[in-house]
Amino acid sequence: MTGVRAPLRIGMIGHAFMGAAHSYGWRNAARVFDLPFEPELRVLAGTDLGRATDAARRLGWAEAADDWRDLVERSDVDVIDICTPGDLHRPIALAALRAGKHVLCEKPLANTAAEADEMVAAAAEAEARGIQAMCGFTYRRQPAVALAHRLIAEGRIGDIRHIRVRYLQDWLSDPEAPYTWRLDAARSGSGSLGDLGAHAVDLAQWLTGERITGVTARTRRFVPRRPLLDGGTGEVTVDDAAHAIVEFRSGLLGTFEVTRYALGRKNAFAVEVNGSTGSLAWDFERNNELLHYRGDEGALSGFTTVLATHEEHPYVAAWWPEGHTLGYDAGFVNQAADFVRAIADGRRPEPSFADAAQVQRVLDAVETSEETRGWEAVLTEKERMR
Amino acid sequence: MTGVRAPLRIGMIGHAFMGAAHSYGWRNAARVFDLPFEPELRVLAGTDLGRATDAARRLGWAEAADDWRDLVERSDVDVIDICTPGDLHRPIALAALRAGKHVLCEKPLANTAAEADEMVAAAAEAEARGIQAMCGFTYRRQPAVALAHRLIAEGRIGDIRHIRVRYLQDWLSDPEAPYTWRLDAARSGSGSLGDLGAHAVDLAQWLTGERITGVTARTRRFVPRRPLLDGGTGEVTVDDAAHAIVEFRSGLLGTFEVTRYALGRKNAFAVEVNGSTGSLAWDFERNNELLHYRGDEGALSGFTTVLATHEEHPYVAAWWPEGHTLGYDAGFVNQAADFVRAIADGRRPEPSFADAAQVQRVLDAVETSEETRGWEAVLTEKERMR
Amino acid sequence: MTGVRAPLRIGMIGHAFMGAAHSYGWRNAARVFDLPFEPELRVLAGTDLGRATDAARRLGWAEAADDWRDLVERSDVDVIDICTPGDLHRPIALAALRAGKHVLCEKPLANTAAEADEMVAAAAEAEARGIQAMCGFTYRRQPAVALAHRLIAEGRIGDIRHIRVRYLQDWLSDPEAPYTWRLDAARSGSGSLGDLGAHAVDLAQWLTGERITGVTARTRRFVPRRPLLDGGTGEVTVDDAAHAIVEFRSGLLGTFEVTRYALGRKNAFAVEVNGSTGSLAWDFERNNELLHYRGDEGALSGFTTVLATHEEHPYVAAWWPEGHTLGYDAGFVNQAADFVRAIADGRRPEPSFADAAQVQRVLDAVETSEETRGWEAVLTEKERMR
Amino acid sequence: MTGVRAPLRIGMIGHAFMGAAHSYGWRNAARVFDLPFEPELRVLAGTDLGRATDAARRLGWAEAADDWRDLVERSDVDVIDICTPGDLHRPIALAALRAGKHVLCEKPLANTAAEADEMVAAAAEAEARGIQAMCGFTYRRQPAVALAHRLIAEGRIGDIRHIRVRYLQDWLSDPEAPYTWRLDAARSGSGSLGDLGAHAVDLAQWLTGERITGVTARTRRFVPRRPLLDGGTGEVTVDDAAHAIVEFRSGLLGTFEVTRYALGRKNAFAVEVNGSTGSLAWDFERNNELLHYRGDEGALSGFTTVLATHEEHPYVAAWWPEGHTLGYDAGFVNQAADFVRAIADGRRPEPSFADAAQVQRVLDAVETSEETRGWEAVLTEKERMR
């Protein structure tokens, strides 16, 4: 009976961590949600056909390929899902959009703001032809985070006065941890900034509904060289940690900190927002919990720990009964479902390439501020066009 | 490329909450783990063909059926997965085992100890023919719980002195919550006892590695009648809550409490074990965290919050990098994988029907103790056979 | 300027842990609260004059003594505060009340229910002469606990359905921990029961506003002999742990567990109450926090962590601004203030000797149930008098 | 027997919140700790004799006064304790030191770095005469914080890579909260900076053992005018919130955020330090808990929650048995004891006026950076003298 709904044929490029997570999303989306299309895991591409073939079998794709250029042209593929290192995002996305494929591109959108701008232009041109493009900031799809967004949008915490975001990991804390493409600026664009900071900036802008307009920042590189897997050492050319004070359009200030050296913090992506009538706080390491302070209630005041598993919470009605928690992977299932629906409805999915390019501009300003030690403005696309 | 591994064809009966959860497990098991067989969601049976057909499409089954009697005889089915109300567990399991199908039966194994004993006998007989049977106590497959089991088995907390288990929910707290089959003893056997208490007893016996040999208990029914969905009211014939003090083989005492009336506790299945050299504590509402006290370490003593997402933790290496949490559903994926491997290896899966029958005997003793207000011994199968 | 208020002259017997804590209370009560009398730390008695003299200097008492019989007769003493082992509670309290002294007696009130009954009679007789008697269940005076009591009394959580109490410590977990008077039934009456269970029972009865009417229980002794400080070993004649299911007047059931062998739990006195419209939870190890669930609030439901430092919370207005936590010792300051005010107002302080004797009867029933393995009724004083 | 030890006669100026807290410290210090001197609460001064007299009676001082100039000259006073608004710190401290009195000055040391420098010079001159001066950064005396300091000093977390400090309150969040001297720069010097930021900077420098050498910062004023208690409104001339990125001598970066507008955070003074081999975290709202990550321990890795009530923890042996928590006030008792011992030993107490002046220089740099929007160096006293 599978297949009663029209298929939406996916071609995915990349089969490492993100490839596995996106596969999980495509595989389960139509089983959890009632979707207008049935995602079909059509073809998985990698750089090596043997490894891609193994990955396709393991992750459940019908076919494997080794040249993304062929893939984006195939007539039996409707969606291109980009899970490669950052340096390939731009060329693949441009080719896919040109070929009339909907595009889901993993974050960060690009390695530089300039690349991102090209992609935004291509997405705009494609949108006019009914082709959709989305960037994979998947943490937006954690129910507790989506609930925070809804509560803020409904005005439940009033005017925002503070936002503090930290995204702490520790996997590079050991100086002997090996060199990978993520430490090579040519492949990854940046280090903690693009990997963690991109999520931090996206979530901050999405939750507040405001753009960041200026930044002062400092970054750090703790370990300059690391062992290569095949001997010798490689030079780390990316940041290990970044700290920023940011200003949003309304004037509100926020604080950011991202690092891969916070021992004991495994994936501690934490956000706290203080408004004029309430506050919200969330930490991914307890991803099902949203802390909510409703303002002064006298002797009953305090933060409420909302277990974000209630049927009224975003995404949850499609999952399990209350109290049955979701994991990291649920974000990818929710993301796939959202993208499928946007395609079916012919409306722009969020976060758009334009949203993601704005994130890239903030990250660029952080790097500039590290050089100048001064305050750097972040222009929006429109402002830059003037 | 899917299908390179030989298929293991599943026939499942029941498509409510547990049916959806088991489907999730079968669908993802071979995508997360490298399994010797590829589970195939062959046919889904319900009592109504139309609803079963809808469910099959939604949950990803190739075919639907409406008579479990046919299903257990089909030659294109290797495994029967029982997700029905408790009153059907015995007849389906007996028929399926007789027909040479491996059986996964959702908990509680049966509505009475007598039924359970029949099933144990059938499973033993089938095992001699190479057919496996397992009961679905899925919480054993949460990584934090499996880690607790491993640490205890390794002697990390010494001799166990205390175990306290509570499984608290609140979905019946509202007296206007509607009547369902779960409140009808004829269908469900018991209330909080079979639903929550079965999990509590199974986990306690598994973690400690000991059988419960005696119990004193009290149960409660708070709301005697509830509204039927089609008007009128139905009589609640099951327990709403149960409290017990239990003794294990070695003499250690434990405390149990299960209820569906603990407002605010959504799925608070919590276990704490104190040993002679350390302690462990876990609460499903923070399912990725295991608290571990390593004994007296002077000024550094305290409970360590282990985020059970480390590659050395049970099941985790197959999932995501450290810090990326798992949800309730992961337990079903892990369970399906364990069952597939046991079938492939020709070894008895755990928890066996015998394990589950012992749980049932403890639940029966709780009910007897409520009547007698006295201490009730719980005999093992062997002891009863003498 | 100290001394403008009339003095209330205290004579205290015992200068170990409780003596120090009570001294702390007397010393600070009139500095934190605006009291009608000024407590004066007049004389401190012990069994050895030298050690009592040292303690008096250290704890701030004007004078030391070594015979409590003289002390209770002194004309310059208004209040006798009993901080001795349990076997002396009865003789001292009877003598002091007879001599017209107000009495604060540390818990447990007595070593047996029979002793407690004598003390209740003496207190009733004294009360007719304007003399007050109170038992020192100091946890009632932690602001978070007093707030819980107020919320329940105001009906904020509706009719109570569950109460679960555990009081866990671990200081006897090491089998080499030395023998003390607390392990000798002749001195202390019982072990974990009188030490921890008394607090558990008192709080449960006070919070619910109901008497316990029946109990089934099991106790344990894990280590039968322990090293004496001066060589050899002493026989442990008290319980190490106790577990009980209790029934209250209204029929509600509760669960209790107390132990000195829960490794890692240092003073984990935890209570959770579930009502028909809300829940409350508290754990002394985070003594300033009261968790409050207000019932179903849809997407906003959850436990609120009330930091019990708000000026509207019990006792707090006299202390520090919001957010400035209190410790264990604050309970003794609050207790001393409450007792001074009750004396000034000529009203019976709470918990009264009668309240404390009822606690003792519950503890006695626990011990009986351990012997009978059956359900034991707990009669109130009135019921027993019939 | 009180008074066997030689008295140390205290004269205190100011009797608001800090006056009450310091009184609590002096009253209990020699009762909790075995001190070489017995603090005597000799005389309490305020601006109004009537109110000072009331306060003296309430707080337990022998005498009241209304002119601090007389007080600092009195021959029956050994110590001057300054608990006034910041604008009086300098004149009182200078006069007291000149008159040969030991001085305890509440933080922040002064309203400007220039004032602070004068006080440092006076303290240095007095120290040569055997007179001691200390600044009241009392959070150093919370056992969990002092334990963190000890663990870092012992090298337990290796080289420090990150420190993040936030001190969040919410008492000004309501725009109708009344105007007080704390909002008037002429009286208080600054707002959240001097009140909260001073604690944050002091703790960061003390814990890391390093001086802050540069800063980039932004501050905010959310509510420009507030109601006066006697009608009309007053202009808020201080900062409401401040954010900073700071660099320490070794190059390590830290992030700071202080605010009085973080709704729901009552006194959330939180510090996290990540080192090359471990991490520590603390939040005053759970003041008895220190989180400690010991580095990679494989499957057992995680943050240990150390309940800082163990006899091996700083200050604790003098207080209660393990598990019996301390409150905010304990910090003042510990502080008084430390100061008495430093005086008796003739050694410089910590934090010294020089330590506190360095804090002031960091705060000044924050204000400058807000104006320049650039990176501001913070010179040490020695560097400025060159």
Side-chain angles (χ1 to χ4, degrees):
Chain A
M1 253 144 297
T2 306
V4 168
R5 305 290 165 92
L8 184 74
R9 299 159 302 179
I10 318 294
M12 191 168 82
I13 304 155
H15 47 70
F17 174 23
M18 275 306 107
H22 282 233
S23 298
Y24 199 95
W26 293 122
R27 185 187 318 124
N28 289 290
R31 302 286 73 78
V32 172
F33 297 91
D34 189 11
L35 295 182
F37 294 124
E38 176 76 31
E40 184 186 324
L41 286 70
R42 193 71 208 84
V43 54
L44 174 65
T47 48
D48 177 272
L49 187 59
R51 294 201 297 127
T53 302
D54 279 352
R57 186 194 58 74
R58 186 168 38 87
L59 298 174
W61 294 80
E63 196 179 325
D66 66 352
D67 190 341
W68 64 261
R69 286 171 193 83
D70 294 344
L71 185 62
V72 299
E73 300 288 350
R74 280 173 65 147
S75 61
D76 64 346
V77 164
D78 304 308
V79 170
I80 294 293
D81 185 355
I82 307 173
C83 292
T84 66
D87 57 333
L88 285 175
H89 287 193
R90 189 193 62 92
I92 298 175
L94 295 187
L97 290 168
R98 204 179 305 124
K101 312 302 186 194
H102 307 289
V103 174
L104 170 59
C105 181
E106 185 48 35
K107 53 59 61 180
L109 186 63
N111 279 0
T112 66
E115 288 178 2
D117 286 343
E118 269 192 88
M119 295 166 77
V120 172
E125 193 271 341
E127 192 180 10
R129 291 179 281 126
I131 302 302
Q132 307 302 344
M134 185 168 91
C135 188
F137 287 110
T138 185
Y139 288 107
R140 291 188 179 199
R141 269 81 186 196
Q142 285 284 327
V145 174
L147 175 61
H149 180 261
R150 189 168 84 194
L151 294 176
I152 293 170
E154 291 172 358
R156 299 287 188 110
I157 65 166
D159 297 327
I160 296 176
R161 282 166 172 167
H162 293 292
I163 182 165
R164 61 194 67 85
V165 189
R166 49 166 215 247
Y167 196 154
L168 311 179
Q169 296 183 340
D170 71 358
W171 57 281
L172 283 182
S173 199
D174 178 358
E176 297 304 309
Y179 191 85
T180 78
W181 69 266
R182 289 177 181 273
L183 305 178
D184 174 6
R187 302 297 311 281
S188 61
S190 64
S192 64
L193 265 180
D195 188 18
L196 310 179
H199 279 301
V201 169
D202 178 66
L203 218 55
Q205 296 192 137
W206 186 57
L207 288 174
T208 61
E210 291 193 37
R211 292 286 163 104
I212 289 172
T213 58
V215 61
T216 184
R218 296 298 304 276
T219 65
R220 267 292 177 276
R221 191 174 308 151
F222 293 109
V223 176
R225 301 194 70 85
R226 285 182 174 275
L228 292 164
L229 287 177
D230 48 3
T233 63
E235 187 188 356
V236 176
T237 51
V238 300
D239 57 277
D240 282 333
H243 316 69
I245 302 169
V246 302
E247 189 167 53
F248 290 74
R249 183 153 304 282
S250 68
L252 93 92
L253 292 179
T255 57
F256 282 71
E257 182 174 0
V258 298
T259 180
R260 292 157 164 175
Y261 285 72
L263 266 176
R265 303 301 179 185
K266 302 308 178 183
N267 200 37
F269 185 13
V271 188
E272 179 162 336
V273 189
N274 304 123
S276 56
T277 63
S279 290
L280 293 165
W282 175 79
D283 183 336
F284 177 80
E285 290 194 357
R286 288 180 175 165
N287 65 305
N288 292 279
E289 297 181 11
L290 180 66
L291 303 189
H292 177 213
Y293 184 81
R294 312 174 189 195
D296 185 2
E297 302 180 299
L300 301 183
S301 303
F303 275 90
T304 298
T305 302
V306 178
L307 193 64
T309 59
H310 189 284
E311 62 179 359
E312 294 179 21
H313 293 155
Y315 302 108
V316 172
W319 287 89
W320 315 115
E322 195 172 9
H324 296 77
T325 58
L326 296 179
Y328 173 71
D329 34 65
F332 291 89
V333 180
N334 297 340
Q335 173 175 274
D338 283 346
F339 192 45
V340 169
R341 284 168 169 163
I343 289 170
D345 296 350
R347 61 175 162 73
R348 183 189 297 190
E350 290 198 328
S352 69
F353 275 21
D355 294 331
Q358 169 69 11
V359 170
Q360 198 60 50
R361 279 191 286 277
V362 175
L363 301 183
D364 277 20
V366 166
E367 292 186 320
T368 307
S369 177
E370 164 63 18
E371 287 162 24
T372 65
R373 296 211 170 185
W375 186 263
E376 295 297 322
V378 182
L379 300 181
T380 61
E381 196 183 353
K382 279 186 191 162
E383 287 166 343
R384 295 164 72 238
M385 294 304 160
R386 277 171 208 156
Chain B
M1 251 142 298
T2 306
V4 167
R5 305 291 163 93
L8 185 74
R9 298 159 302 177
I10 319 294
M12 190 170 84
I13 304 156
H15 48 68
F17 173 23
M18 275 306 107
H22 282 230
S23 298
Y24 198 95
W26 294 121
R27 186 188 315 125
N28 289 290
R31 303 284 74 77
V32 172
F33 296 90
D34 190 10
L35 295 182
F37 293 125
E38 176 77 32
E40 184 186 325
L41 287 69
R42 192 72 209 83
V43 53
L44 174 65
T47 49
D48 176 273
L49 187 60
R51 294 200 298 125
T53 303
D54 279 353
R57 186 196 58 73
R58 186 166 40 84
L59 299 174
W61 293 80
E63 197 180 325
D66 64 354
D67 190 339
W68 64 262
R69 287 170 192 82
D70 294 345
L71 185 62
V72 299
E73 301 287 351
R74 280 174 64 148
S75 61
D76 64 345
V77 164
D78 306 308
V79 171
I80 293 294
D81 185 356
I82 307 173
C83 293
T84 66
D87 56 334
L88 286 175
H89 287 192
R90 190 193 61 91
I92 298 175
L94 295 187
L97 289 168
R98 203 179 305 124
K101 313 300 186 193
H102 307 289
V103 173
L104 170 58
C105 181
E106 185 47 36
K107 50 60 60 181
L109 185 64
N111 280 359
T112 65
E115 288 178 1
D117 285 344
E118 271 192 84
M119 296 167 77
V120 172
E125 192 272 339
E127 193 180 9
R129 289 179 282 125
I131 302 301
Q132 307 302 342
M134 184 169 91
C135 187
F137 287 109
T138 185
Y139 287 107
R140 292 189 179 197
R141 269 82 187 196
Q142 285 285 327
V145 174
L147 175 60
H149 179 262
R150 190 169 82 193
L151 295 176
I152 293 170
E154 291 172 356
R156 300 287 188 112
I157 65 167
D159 298 326
I160 297 177
R161 284 168 171 165
H162 292 291
I163 182 164
R164 60 194 67 87
V165 188
R166 49 168 217 246
Y167 195 155
L168 311 178
Q169 297 183 339
D170 71 357
W171 57 282
L172 283 182
S173 197
D174 179 358
E176 297 304 309
Y179 191 86
T180 77
W181 69 267
R182 289 178 181 273
L183 306 178
D184 176 6
R187 302 295 313 282
S188 60
S190 64
S192 63
L193 264 181
D195 188 17
L196 311 179
H199 279 302
V201 170
D202 178 65
L203 219 53
Q205 295 191 137
W206 186 58
L207 288 174
T208 60
E210 292 193 34
R211 292 286 162 106
I212 289 171
T213 57
V215 61
T216 184
R218 296 297 304 276
T219 66
R220 268 291 178 276
R221 191 173 308 151
F222 293 110
V223 177
R225 298 194 73 84
R226 287 182 172 275
L228 293 163
L229 287 176
D230 50 3
T233 62
E235 186 187 357
V236 176
T237 50
V238 299
D239 58 278
D240 283 334
H243 316 69
I245 301 170
V246 302
E247 191 167 51
F248 291 74
R249 183 153 304 280
S250 68
L252 93 91
L253 292 178
T255 57
F256 282 72
E257 181 175 1
V258 299
T259 180
R260 293 156 163 176
Y261 285 72
L263 266 176
R265 302 300 178 186
K266 302 308 176 181
N267 200 38
F269 185 13
V271 188
E272 180 162 336
V273 189
N274 304 123
S276 57
T277 62
S279 291
L280 293 164
W282 174 80
D283 183 337
F284 177 79
E285 291 194 357
R286 287 181 177 164
N287 64 306
N288 292 280
E289 297 182 10
L290 179 66
L291 303 189
H292 178 213
Y293 184 81
R294 310 175 192 195
D296 185 2
E297 303 180 299
L300 301 183
S301 303
F303 275 90
T304 298
T305 302
V306 178
L307 193 64
T309 60
H310 190 283
E311 61 179 0
E312 294 179 20
H313 294 154
Y315 302 107
V316 171
W319 287 89
W320 315 115
E322 195 172 8
H324 295 78
T325 58
L326 296 179
Y328 172 72
D329 33 64
F332 291 89
V333 180
N334 298 341
Q335 173 175 273
D338 283 346
F339 192 45
V340 169
R341 285 168 169 164
I343 290 170
D345 295 350
R347 62 175 160 74
R348 186 189 295 191
E350 290 198 330
S352 69
F353 275 21
D355 294 330
Q358 168 70 10
V359 170
Q360 198 60 48
R361 279 191 285 277
V362 175
L363 301 184
D364 278 19
V366 166
E367 292 185 320
T368 307
S369 177
E370 165 63 19
E371 286 160 25
T372 65
R373 295 210 171 186
W375 185 262
E376 296 296 323
V378 182
L379 300 181
T380 61
E381 197 182 353
K382 281 185 191 163
E383 289 166 341
R384 294 164 72 239
M385 294 304 160
R386 276 171 208 160
Chain C
M1 251 144 299
T2 306
V4 166
R5 305 290 164 92
L8 184 74
R9 298 160 300 178
I10 319 293
M12 191 168 83
I13 304 155
H15 46 70
F17 174 23
M18 275 305 109
H22 282 233
S23 299
Y24 198 96
W26 294 122
R27 185 188 316 125
N28 289 290
R31 303 285 73 77
V32 172
F33 297 91
D34 190 10
L35 295 182
F37 294 125
E38 176 76 31
E40 186 186 323
L41 286 69
R42 193 71 207 85
V43 53
L44 174 65
T47 48
D48 176 272
L49 188 60
R51 293 200 298 125
T53 302
D54 280 352
R57 186 195 58 73
R58 187 167 40 85
L59 299 174
W61 294 80
E63 199 178 324
D66 65 353
D67 189 340
W68 64 261
R69 287 172 193 80
D70 294 344
L71 185 63
V72 298
E73 300 288 349
R74 280 173 65 147
S75 62
D76 64 345
V77 164
D78 304 308
V79 171
I80 293 293
D81 185 355
I82 308 173
C83 292
T84 66
D87 56 334
L88 286 176
H89 287 194
R90 188 192 63 90
I92 298 176
L94 295 187
L97 290 168
R98 204 179 304 124
K101 312 301 186 193
H102 307 288
V103 173
L104 171 58
C105 180
E106 185 48 34
K107 52 60 60 180
L109 185 63
N111 279 359
T112 66
E115 288 179 359
D117 285 343
E118 268 193 86
M119 295 167 76
V120 172
E125 191 272 340
E127 193 180 9
R129 291 178 280 124
I131 301 301
Q132 307 302 343
M134 185 167 91
C135 187
F137 286 110
T138 185
Y139 287 108
R140 291 188 180 199
R141 269 81 187 197
Q142 284 285 326
V145 174
L147 175 61
H149 179 262
R150 189 168 84 194
L151 294 177
I152 292 170
E154 291 171 357
R156 299 288 187 110
I157 65 166
D159 297 327
I160 296 177
R161 284 168 172 165
H162 293 292
I163 182 164
R164 63 193 65 86
V165 189
R166 49 167 215 247
Y167 196 154
L168 311 179
Q169 297 184 339
D170 71 357
W171 59 282
L172 283 182
S173 198
D174 179 359
E176 297 304 309
Y179 191 84
T180 79
W181 67 268
R182 289 177 181 272
L183 305 178
D184 175 6
R187 302 298 311 282
S188 60
S190 64
S192 63
L193 264 181
D195 188 17
L196 310 179
H199 279 302
V201 170
D202 178 65
L203 219 54
Q205 296 192 137
W206 185 58
L207 287 174
T208 60
E210 291 193 36
R211 293 285 163 107
I212 289 171
T213 57
V215 60
T216 184
R218 296 298 304 276
T219 65
R220 267 292 176 276
R221 191 173 308 150
F222 293 108
V223 178
R225 299 193 72 85
R226 285 181 175 276
L228 293 164
L229 287 177
D230 48 5
T233 61
E235 187 187 356
V236 175
T237 50
V238 300
D239 57 278
D240 283 334
H243 317 70
I245 302 170
V246 302
E247 189 167 52
F248 290 75
R249 182 153 305 281
S250 67
L252 93 91
L253 293 178
T255 57
F256 281 71
E257 182 175 359
V258 299
T259 180
R260 293 156 163 177
Y261 285 73
L263 265 177
R265 303 301 179 186
K266 301 307 177 181
N267 200 38
F269 185 13
V271 188
E272 180 162 336
V273 189
N274 304 123
S276 56
T277 63
S279 291
L280 294 164
W282 175 80
D283 183 337
F284 177 79
E285 290 194 357
R286 287 181 175 163
N287 65 306
N288 292 280
E289 297 182 10
L290 180 66
L291 303 189
H292 177 213
Y293 184 81
R294 311 174 190 194
D296 185 3
E297 302 179 300
L300 301 183
S301 303
F303 275 90
T304 298
T305 303
V306 178
L307 193 64
T309 61
H310 190 283
E311 60 179 0
E312 295 179 20
H313 294 154
Y315 301 107
V316 172
W319 287 89
W320 315 115
E322 195 172 8
H324 296 78
T325 57
L326 297 179
Y328 173 71
D329 34 65
F332 291 88
V333 179
N334 298 341
Q335 172 175 275
D338 284 346
F339 192 45
V340 169
R341 285 168 168 163
I343 290 170
D345 296 350
R347 59 176 162 73
R348 183 189 298 190
E350 289 198 328
S352 68
F353 275 22
D355 294 330
Q358 168 70 11
V359 170
Q360 198 59 49
R361 279 191 285 278
V362 175
L363 301 184
D364 277 18
V366 166
E367 292 185 321
T368 307
S369 177
E370 165 63 19
E371 287 161 24
T372 65
R373 295 210 170 184
W375 186 264
E376 296 297 322
V378 181
L379 300 181
T380 61
E381 196 183 353
K382 279 186 192 164
E383 289 165 342
R384 295 164 72 239
M385 294 305 160
R386 277 171 209 157
Chain D
M1 251 143 297
T2 305
V4 166
R5 305 292 163 92
L8 183 74
R9 298 159 301 177
I10 318 293
M12 191 170 82
I13 305 155
H15 47 69
F17 173 24
M18 276 305 108
H22 282 231
S23 298
Y24 198 96
W26 293 122
R27 185 187 316 125
N28 290 290
R31 303 284 74 76
V32 172
F33 297 90
D34 189 10
L35 295 183
F37 294 125
E38 176 78 31
E40 184 186 326
L41 286 70
R42 192 72 210 81
V43 53
L44 174 64
T47 49
D48 176 273
L49 188 59
R51 294 201 297 125
T53 302
D54 280 353
R57 186 194 59 73
R58 186 167 39 85
L59 298 174
W61 294 80
E63 197 180 324
D66 66 352
D67 190 339
W68 64 261
R69 286 170 192 82
D70 294 346
L71 185 62
V72 299
E73 301 288 349
R74 282 173 63 148
S75 61
D76 64 345
V77 163
D78 304 309
V79 170
I80 294 294
D81 184 356
I82 308 174
C83 293
T84 66
D87 56 333
L88 286 175
H89 287 192
R90 190 193 62 91
I92 297 175
L94 295 188
L97 290 168
R98 204 179 303 123
K101 313 300 188 195
H102 307 289
V103 173
L104 170 57
C105 181
E106 185 48 35
K107 52 57 62 181
L109 185 64
N111 279 359
T112 66
E115 288 178 1
D117 285 343
E118 269 192 86
M119 296 167 76
V120 171
E125 192 272 339
E127 193 180 10
R129 290 180 280 124
I131 301 302
Q132 307 302 343
M134 184 169 90
C135 188
F137 286 110
T138 185
Y139 288 108
R140 290 188 181 198
R141 268 83 187 196
Q142 285 285 327
V145 174
L147 175 61
H149 179 262
R150 190 169 82 192
L151 294 177
I152 293 170
E154 291 172 357
R156 299 287 188 111
I157 65 167
D159 297 326
I160 297 178
R161 284 167 171 166
H162 293 291
I163 182 165
R164 60 193 68 86
V165 189
R166 49 167 216 246
Y167 196 154
L168 312 179
Q169 297 183 340
D170 71 357
W171 58 282
L172 283 181
S173 198
D174 178 358
E176 297 305 310
Y179 192 85
T180 78
W181 68 267
R182 289 178 181 272
L183 306 178
D184 175 7
R187 301 297 312 283
S188 60
S190 64
S192 63
L193 265 180
D195 188 17
L196 310 179
H199 279 302
V201 170
D202 178 65
L203 219 53
Q205 296 191 138
W206 185 58
L207 287 174
T208 60
E210 291 193 34
R211 292 287 162 104
I212 289 171
T213 57
V215 61
T216 185
R218 296 298 304 276
T219 66
R220 268 291 177 278
R221 191 174 307 152
F222 293 110
V223 177
R225 300 193 71 84
R226 286 183 173 274
L228 293 164
L229 286 177
D230 50 2
T233 62
E235 187 187 355
V236 175
T237 51
V238 300
D239 58 277
D240 283 334
H243 317 68
I245 302 169
V246 302
E247 190 167 52
F248 290 74
R249 184 154 303 281
S250 67
L252 92 92
L253 292 178
T255 57
F256 282 72
E257 182 174 0
V258 299
T259 180
R260 292 156 163 176
Y261 285 73
L263 265 175
R265 302 300 178 186
K266 302 307 178 183
N267 200 38
F269 184 13
V271 188
E272 180 163 335
V273 189
N274 305 123
S276 56
T277 62
S279 292
L280 294 165
W282 175 80
D283 183 337
F284 177 79
E285 291 193 356
R286 287 180 175 163
N287 64 305
N288 292 281
E289 297 181 10
L290 179 67
L291 304 189
H292 178 213
Y293 185 81
R294 312 175 189 193
D296 185 2
E297 301 179 298
L300 301 183
S301 303
F303 276 90
T304 299
T305 302
V306 178
L307 193 64
T309 60
H310 190 284
E311 61 180 358
E312 294 179 21
H313 293 155
Y315 301 108
V316 171
W319 287 88
W320 315 115
E322 196 172 9
H324 296 78
T325 58
L326 297 180
Y328 173 71
D329 33 65
F332 291 90
V333 180
N334 297 341
Q335 173 175 273
D338 284 345
F339 192 44
V340 169
R341 285 169 169 163
I343 289 170
D345 296 349
R347 62 175 161 73
R348 184 189 297 190
E350 289 198 330
S352 69
F353 275 21
D355 294 331
Q358 169 70 9
V359 171
Q360 198 60 47
R361 279 191 286 277
V362 175
L363 301 183
D364 277 19
V366 166
E367 292 186 320
T368 307
S369 177
E370 164 65 17
E371 287 161 25
T372 64
R373 297 209 170 185
W375 186 265
E376 296 296 323
V378 181
L379 300 181
T380 62
E381 197 183 352
K382 279 186 192 163
E383 288 166 341
R384 294 164 73 239
M385 294 305 160
R386 276 171 208 158

